[in-house]
Amino acid sequence: AQSVTQPDIHITVSEGASLELRCNYSYGATPYLFWYVQSPGQGLQLLLKYFSGDTLVQGIKGFEAEFKRSQSSFNLRKPSVHWSDAAEYFCANNDYKLSFGAGTTVTVRA
Amino acid sequence: DAGVIQSPRHEVTEMGQEVTLRCKPISGHNSLFWYRQTMMRGLELLIYFNNNVPIDDSGMPEDRFSAKMPNASFSTLKIQPSEPRDSAVYFCASSLRQGQGIEAFFGQGTRLTVV
């Protein structure tokens, strides 16, 4: 079965700086990959998804992710972080059931 | 659409008591998932249903846990008897159908505390 790994448990970034969150997947067939965000006390919200086609995927809230098959990665990026981006971010894959990575907590400092 | 609705939002119960968590999926969605989130184990898939039928319950931790979906608009997750280690946030999610690449929509979760 496919799985995803998020190597970074916690990242701190300054407001206005760029952000990149890492996600690696174990390859089976074509991966079906997602990024979700969870704000404190809230459920998970879908940021973006990748199935096939263009390897650069645009999402909501100014986020994008790039699928790189050669590196088995699907990293999430944002050019300029806002304080409201402080949250926990989950990479996930769905090969018939949605499975999540351990999550990366993002702290934004002023 | 109101999204996935879970109730209650918070539940505090004593060890040994029965706990029932409720979920109303998005109308028209025919797949439903129950997840548990803890600091130690992250997000774990407990069980999922497709067209009201349980497809995979391999994530259900013990026989104390049971889930039902009597119709397309309602599901319950029951813990009987509850134990302190069951304390967690339980999420329900639904999707249009079950299959590769289908995103799920999550409820706000139920925070369960067993004392």
Side-chain angles (χ1 to χ4, degrees):
Chain A
Q2 294 180 13
S3 65
V4 291
T5 305
Q6 295 179 250
D8 303 307
I9 296 173
H10 188 209
I11 285 180
T12 298
V13 60
S14 297
E15 191 169 15
S18 64
L19 174 68
E20 181 166 11
L21 304 181
R22 296 186 291 166
C23 173
N24 299 111
Y25 66 91
S26 66
Y27 181 72
T30 302
Y32 299 88
L33 298 166
F34 305 81
W35 275 100
Y36 281 81
V37 60
Q38 183 181 27
S39 297
Q42 301 297 312
L44 281 75
Q45 181 184 22
L46 179 69
L47 286 175
L48 47 79
K49 60 187 179 183
Y50 172 78
F51 301 158
S52 63
D54 290 341
T55 56
L56 186 63
V57 181
Q58 300 298 319
I60 63 171
K61 306 186 180 200
F63 284 91
E64 66 179 25
E66 186 170 13
F67 173 71
K68 292 186 177 179
R69 186 180 294 276
S70 61
Q71 299 177 17
S72 297
S73 69
F74 186 58
N75 294 349
L76 182 72
R77 300 193 296 248
K78 185 167 184 177
S80 178
V81 169
H82 187 261
W83 64 266
S84 60
D85 294 321
E88 190 161 17
Y89 293 80
F90 293 91
C91 182
N93 77 283
N94 186 351
D95 59 347
Y96 291 101
K97 54 183 180 180
L98 192 59
S99 300
F100 290 87
T104 299
T105 300
V106 172
T107 298
V108 180
R109 59 178 174 228
Chain B
D1 198 314
V4 176
I5 299 173
Q6 292 185 246
S7 63
R9 289 293 311 275
H10 301 273
E11 177 80 37
V12 180
T13 190
E14 291 185 346
M15 183 174 62
Q17 296 299 306
E18 177 180 295
V19 176
T20 299
L21 311 182
R22 297 172 176 79
C23 175
K24 176 179 169 56
I26 292 173
S27 177
H29 283 191
N30 61 17
S31 293
L32 184 139
F33 309 82
W34 282 101
Y35 287 86
R36 178 172 67 176
Q37 185 178 35
T38 61
M39 290 289 291
M40 292 296 296
R41 301 176 68 90
L43 272 162
E44 304 172 274
L45 177 63
L46 301 178
I47 184 171
Y48 73 93
F49 295 82
N50 194 43
N51 292 323
N52 312 337
V53 176
I55 302 300
D56 184 348
D57 64 355
S58 60
M60 297 285 262
E62 299 173 35
D63 291 345
R64 298 183 297 106
F65 286 70
S66 62
K68 294 182 179 180
M69 192 165 186
N71 57 62
S73 59
F74 184 66
S75 177
T76 59
L77 177 68
K78 184 178 294 185
I79 309 172
Q80 166 62 20
S82 59
E83 297 182 3
R85 60 195 169 112
D86 302 329
S87 298
V89 181
Y90 291 82
F91 288 103
C92 176
S94 71
S95 65
L96 194 57
R97 61 187 183 276
Q98 183 258 341
Q100 292 177 317
I102 305 301
E103 70 264 33
F105 296 82
F106 283 75
Q108 300 276 55
T110 295
R111 181 174 296 278
L112 173 65
T113 303
V114 183
V115 298

